[in-house]
Amino acid sequence: MGSIELVCPAGSPAMLRAAIEAGADSVYCGLRDETNARNFPGLNFSPAELKAAAAWAHDRGGKVLVAVNTFARAGEVDAWRASVDSAAAAGADAIIVADLGVLAYAQAQHPGLRLHLSVQAAAGSAEAIAFYAQAYGVKRVVLPRVLSAPEIAALVRETDVEVEAFVYGGLCVMAEGRCALSSYATGKSPNLAGVCSPPEAVSLEETDGLLTPRLGGFMIDQVAPGTAAGYPTLCKGRFEAEGTASHLFEDPTSLNAMALLAELRTAGVRAVKIEGRQRGKAYVARVAGAFRAALDALDRGETTAPYEARLTGLAEGGRETAGAYRKAWR
Amino acid sequence: MRTRHRLRARRQGDAAELLMALRPPAEWVLSAALRRLARRRPEVFERLGAFGEAAFVIVPDGSPVAFRLAPQGASAGVQVRRRNDRSPSVARIEGPLGALLGLFDGSVDADAAFFSRAIRVSGDIEAVMALHNTLEAADLTLADLLGLSGPASQMANEAVRFARTAASAKAAWA
Ligand code: SF4
């Protein structure tokens, strides 16, 4: 492993193998239920698959981080406890958690299990991070995607907890873990059910090449013939307000912070993370390979520029941004 | 122009008749292979959850026939249907042969597969997503699906690679 850990997504054992073989230091994955924030049909691991995959990864020097990062429902916490137990039994190197109750359970029942704070917890200040470290022994925080690079540098100086930052993939623009758009339209929220804009609420209608995606009955876009359409996520929809149709909440662009890796490393960021457990083997192999090459180049004192072109055409919606890392607004 | 369309339609009609005549042995081979796979690797179909017993219709562009795939349950198997057959199914997946084959071995990116509009889906999107994620996770090749091994398996997988290249070069059956 180089000076920064490369953390890649795995929606299945096959994707986990593809990520490690392409150069990921760690993979993150979840169990096949509502306890993880990518609860899409056909995705994720059974407890037995998780155990076998962790052994496979460990044999190759890779780490497996298990996301148990939705918020446990009051009175129904058994599923979340079972996921923590399964992760521990599988030999996970860490679990990624957002909920205070789940953190408390893991700390009490599995004191040897390393705890990472999920992006869903939205801990973006040194004080918030210190609380999680003191109360639950959290060792790493995944930062919300709303901080600029200088803000991250300032934060790292004020905390002893390891910092992990997203560098590639789909963007979720609301204060992490607090978006109510999906619950409003479909009754299911990413924070509780682990799925934003769930597929059972999606309908696609095509008339004369014009594609109309709907979510929970709400028309959220109209896509012209021959134009690529992303997964119909509510915040990436195009809506009409005051007579003008626009991407009211968020342009459908993807994060790509490869050009900022050197800055993030100087800032003291310990690990960088790729989004996209739902994107599959071909995607993870390409992104992990490109970031592995870029990180190795940095460690050799070279620029990452030659590797940026390797990701062309992969961005969701076809467009990229450096997100909040280079934000000029407040 | 119109004559060319008429000719193509007639050729497609003839091909459909021929393929429909050959249907029983094709269905038997494909269905037997699917059941063998379900026995050998039950975890593959576990991922489909509630959609294991649903029927998916797969329609390669330009092909005169469609394939009706029921992964599990009492009617598990593959049926060959005319492409305009509209008997009940949970979802219909249409697209170029190369892209459809790419779904089987995960060489097509999940988002790219369904939302780039190269592949057109209608019906229950949750079911389609479950099927795609299942195939993507399964690491299957055409040889696995047909239950082949040894040189026959190599030949089948070569054929897929060839078909994908040919299809992406816009060679269609029409
Ligand atoms: S609607 Fe958009 S911002 Fe809200 S949870 Fe979903 S992806 Fe995130």
Side-chain angles (χ1 to χ4, degrees), chain A residues 167-171 221 227-230 235-238 245-257 275 279 283 311-323, chain B residues 111:
Chain A
V167 286
Y168 193 85
L171 275 169
D221 206 346
T227 313
C235 64
K236 313 282 192 305
R238 220 154 37 97
S246 67
H247 291 107
L248 217 50
F249 299 104
E250 166 74 348
D251 279 336
T253 56
S254 270
L255 175 69
N256 184 358
E275 184 275 349
R279 296 282 308 261
Y283 163 88
L311 299 171
T312 312
L314 262 190
E316 195 187 4
R319 288 161 57 199
E320 289 180 342
T321 171
Chain B
D111 275 18

Side-chain angles (χ1 to χ4, degrees), chain B residues 11-12 19 60-65 67 97 171-174:
Chain B
R11 268 212 317 265
Q12 234 185 38
L19 288 167
D61 282 351
S63 155
V65 293
F67 300 89
L97 179 65
W173 295 358

Side-chain angles (χ1 to χ4, degrees), chain A residues 189-236:
Chain A
S189 82
N191 313 335
L192 293 175
V195 61
C196 169
S197 311
E200 71 266 25
V202 171
S203 72
L204 300 170
E205 193 185 297
E206 193 162 335
T207 319
D208 297 330
L210 188 70
L211 182 73
T212 306
R214 284 196 168 77
L215 191 73
F218 296 101
M219 184 202 281
I220 68 164
D221 206 346
Q222 280 209 310
V223 190
T227 313
Y231 182 83
T233 307
L234 194 42
C235 64
K236 313 282 192 305

Side-chain angles (χ1 to χ4, degrees), chain A:
Chain A
M1 194 175 76
S3 57
I4 296 190
E5 181 179 327
L6 177 60
V7 184
C8 290
S12 68
M15 195 172 163
L16 177 144
R17 292 191 291 272
I20 298 268
E21 278 164 0
D25 296 308
S26 311
V27 288
Y28 65 101
C29 54
L31 288 148
R32 206 176 296 154
D33 60 25
E34 72 217 298
T35 63
N36 86 90
R38 279 289 181 280
N39 182 22
F40 283 105
L43 220 58
N44 300 317
F45 291 62
S46 68
E49 284 174 338
L50 183 62
K51 193 166 188 170
W56 186 93
H58 291 157
D59 281 348
R60 285 152 188 84
K63 288 193 207 142
V64 175
L65 320 176
V66 180
V68 189
N69 60 344
T70 49
F71 292 86
R73 264 194 313 279
E76 290 177 58
V77 296
D78 288 353
W80 283 263
R81 290 181 174 172
S83 286
V84 171
D85 296 342
S86 294
D93 296 278
I95 56 171
I96 309 167
V97 181
D99 182 273
L100 297 178
V102 179
L103 281 168
Y105 175 80
Q107 188 192 31
Q109 298 299 316
H110 305 284
L113 185 58
R114 188 177 160 92
L115 298 177
H116 291 185
L117 190 67
S118 167
V119 66
Q120 293 279 99
S125 69
E127 291 77 7
I129 296 168
F131 166 75
Y132 285 104
Q134 280 154 19
Y136 305 108
V138 161
K139 296 277 188 296
R140 178 181 295 182
V141 56
V142 185
L143 291 184
R145 287 162 279 191
V146 294
L147 300 171
S148 67
E151 283 169 337
I152 292 176
L155 189 64
V156 173
R157 280 196 296 276
E158 290 174 46
T159 179
D160 294 332
V161 175
E162 291 175 10
V163 163
E164 180 173 308
F166 274 96
V167 286
Y168 193 85
L171 275 169
C172 177
V173 295
M174 302 295 166
E176 305 278 12
R178 291 171 199 156
C179 175
L181 278 175
S182 180
S183 335
Y184 177 75
T186 71
K188 275 199 177 169
S189 82
N191 313 335
L192 293 175
V195 61
C196 169
S197 311
E200 71 266 25
V202 171
S203 72
L204 300 170
E205 193 185 297
E206 193 162 335
T207 319
D208 297 330
L210 188 70
L211 182 73
T212 306
R214 284 196 168 77
L215 191 73
F218 296 101
M219 184 202 281
I220 68 164
D221 206 346
Q222 280 209 310
V223 190
T227 313
Y231 182 83
T233 307
L234 194 42
C235 64
K236 313 282 192 305
R238 220 154 37 97
F239 304 95
E240 202 175 287
E242 296 175 351
T244 315
S246 67
H247 291 107
L248 217 50
F249 299 104
E250 166 74 348
D251 279 336
T253 56
S254 270
L255 175 69
N256 184 358
M258 188 184 273
L260 284 144
L261 284 177
E263 209 173 321
L264 294 175
R265 189 174 71 154
T266 310
V269 167
R270 183 72 205 89
V272 291
K273 185 168 211 160
I274 312 292
E275 184 275 349
R277 279 189 272 157
Q278 72 289 4
R279 296 282 308 261
K281 295 178 293 219
Y283 163 88
V284 83
R286 220 169 123 192
V287 184
F291 272 88
R292 174 79 278 145
L295 290 169
D296 290 349
L298 268 189
D299 285 344
R300 292 192 304 267
E302 297 165 11
T303 160
T304 58
Y307 309 102
E308 284 162 34
R310 283 205 199 173
L311 299 171
T312 312
L314 262 190
E316 195 187 4
R319 288 161 57 199
E320 289 180 342
T321 171
Y325 293 136
R326 282 213 171 112
K327 91 181 156 195
W329 41 268
R330 183 68 252 185

